Amino acid sequence: MNNTAIRQYVQELIEKHNTCSPFQLADLCGIQLVYAPIKSLQGYYIKSSRIKIIVISTEADDAHLGYICAHELGHALLHDKINMHYLTTKSYFPAGRYEREADVFATELLLAGSMEAGCHYEDFSIYDFMRSNGIPEKVAEALSTYHTNL
């Protein structure tokens, strides 16, 4: 899915559910949130017996929880039939495309939430926006050439 299609999908999702919160959206989409003491990952999405679950590490920094949830929500909604955990840990298939799509989804969702809250970023760089929303710097670097409305 290209970036424009992801942006449109996020906007439709926000309009349908009337929220930008990744936590509320997960609930409204029937996706369970589970917090577990995992150390090797900040979070992941799994689907077991048709039950969608986002697992977030209890070890994750509070400043990153929104991004982690939004990223995993991106996997749950964009990559419903793909077991990302298996793909990245047990196969040799490169998951880069799916990770980038989940990053774009999370960024679009968090940006919409910030704009809805009345935040204006005219005096901020994309890196400032990303940092203030708990988005990892590697994601900011990858998406900085894509996002032009900051």
Side-chain angles (χ1 to χ4, degrees):
M1 186 176 256
N2 69 34
N3 295 346
T4 303
I6 294 170
R7 177 183 289 173
Q8 181 64 36
Y9 181 74
V10 168
Q11 290 303 315
E12 290 169 4
L13 188 67
I14 291 168
E15 288 173 19
K16 177 180 179 180
H17 295 291
N18 200 30
T19 183
C20 297
S21 166
F23 301 99
Q24 290 177 355
L25 285 170
D27 183 51
L28 292 167
C29 292
I31 302 167
Q32 295 181 12
L33 286 175
V34 175
Y35 294 87
I38 50 177
K39 296 192 187 303
S40 59
L41 300 169
Q42 300 229 2
Y44 60 91
Y45 162 71
I46 60 171
K47 184 176 180 182
S48 179
S49 300
R50 290 189 270 173
I51 299 171
K52 296 179 179 186
I53 304 167
I54 292 174
V55 180
I56 298 176
S57 174
T58 55
E59 307 292 319
D61 183 354
D62 287 348
H64 295 102
L65 292 178
Y67 170 77
I68 295 166
C69 186
H71 177 92
E72 299 308 330
L73 182 62
H75 285 305
L77 298 175
L78 300 175
H79 313 131
D80 178 45
K81 299 191 181 355
I82 299 170
N83 183 335
M84 290 302 299
H85 185 66
Y86 177 83
L87 186 67
T88 57
T89 60
K90 305 286 187 212
S91 79
Y92 293 106
F93 187 84
R97 172 185 147 211
Y98 302 113
E99 290 301 320
R100 183 196 57 78
E101 289 176 355
D103 287 337
V104 171
F105 179 94
T107 302
E108 288 293 342
L109 187 59
L110 295 173
L111 176 61
S114 292
M115 296 302 201
E116 187 175 275
C119 298
H120 299 285
Y121 293 99
E122 290 87 12
D123 297 328
F124 289 78
S125 71
I126 191 165
Y127 297 101
D128 295 328
F129 162 75
M130 299 276 189
R131 265 191 299 278
S132 70
N133 284 281
I135 300 171
E137 195 167 314
K138 69 175 183 69
V139 176
E141 292 170 6
L143 297 180
S144 64
T145 56
Y146 148 68
H147 226 296
T148 58
N149 62 350
L150 288 177

